[in-house]
């Protein structure tokens, strides 16, 4: 079974089509970021406590994320130096006091434009795997036909 099929099967068996619990958190500058204002407009990969190397890879993949309307939301402890790191168009760094939001979403979760949780991951997933999952989604395939990319 391919990795994509395994992730999709696990999502289906876990009831991953459930709606996404809403949250509002702050970035390093103290600005509020509300999940609700992004649901339905973008796909979201919520990742708890990603490493500096993972964040660097996200930054390198910004163009691929833009094409897929995929925003990576990194949840970090308020004291984490990574909160002050560079952001890109599709990377959002948020302080998660007490890890409350991370507890709701787990190590990582992919939310589709239909606002449902499409996959949950036991650790921050390889971006190539997430991009493959997104590319297999019917809505993304329709976007590719319409946009030509």
């Amino acid at each position: 079974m391919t990795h994509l099929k395994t992730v999709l099967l696990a999502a289906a068996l876990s009831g991953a089509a459930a709606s996404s619990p809403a949250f509002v958190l702050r970035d390093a500058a103290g600005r509020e970021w509300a999940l609700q204002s992004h649901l339905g407009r973008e796909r979201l990969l919520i990742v708890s406590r990603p490493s500096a190397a993972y964040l660097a890879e996200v930054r390198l993949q910004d163009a691929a994320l833009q094409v897929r309307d995929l925003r990576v939301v990194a949840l970090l402890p308020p004291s984490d130096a990574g909160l002050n790191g560079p952001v890109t168009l599709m990377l959002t760094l948020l302080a998660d006091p007490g890890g409350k939001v991370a507890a709701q979403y787990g190590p990582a979760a992919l939310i589709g434009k239909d606002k449902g949780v499409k996959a949950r991951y036991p650790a921050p997933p390889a971006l190539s795997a997430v991009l493959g999952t997104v590319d297999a989604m019917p809505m993304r395939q329709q976007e590719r036909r319409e946009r030509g990319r």
Side-chain angles (χ1 to χ4, degrees):
M1 185 177 287
T2 67
H3 176 71
L4 174 60
K5 287 180 182 176
T6 303
V7 169
L8 293 175
L9 178 61
L13 294 175
S14 69
S19 62
S20 312
F23 64 84
V24 176
L25 292 175
R26 295 186 181 276
D27 64 14
R31 292 181 298 260
E32 284 189 349
W33 190 93
L35 175 69
Q36 191 62 35
S37 62
H38 294 270
L39 287 174
R41 294 184 7 212
E42 300 176 307
R43 294 172 184 92
L44 301 165
L45 176 63
I46 299 175
V47 182
S48 301
R49 304 185 93 162
S51 67
Y54 191 85
L55 293 175
E57 179 62 23
V58 170
R59 291 179 183 103
L60 289 174
Q61 296 292 328
D62 193 61
L65 298 171
Q66 288 178 46
V67 167
R68 292 166 177 88
D69 300 330
L70 177 60
R71 173 173 304 283
V72 176
V73 179
L75 305 175
L76 299 165
S79 61
D80 193 305
L83 278 172
N84 295 312
V87 295
T88 60
L89 187 60
M90 301 309 284
L91 174 61
T92 300
L93 304 170
L94 299 175
D96 183 16
K100 292 178 184 175
V101 174
Q104 291 177 320
Y105 284 93
L110 177 62
I111 302 171
K113 285 187 174 181
D114 65 356
K115 304 177 185 180
V117 178
K118 301 300 182 184
R120 293 190 185 272
Y121 303 91
L127 286 178
S128 59
V130 176
L131 296 177
T133 299
V134 168
D135 285 344
M137 294 176 176
M139 188 180 291
R140 170 65 184 135
Q141 292 173 2
Q142 179 181 345
E143 291 169 358
R144 289 180 79 179
R145 288 190 296 275
E146 292 170 357
R147 298 179 186 174
R149 59 183 175 122

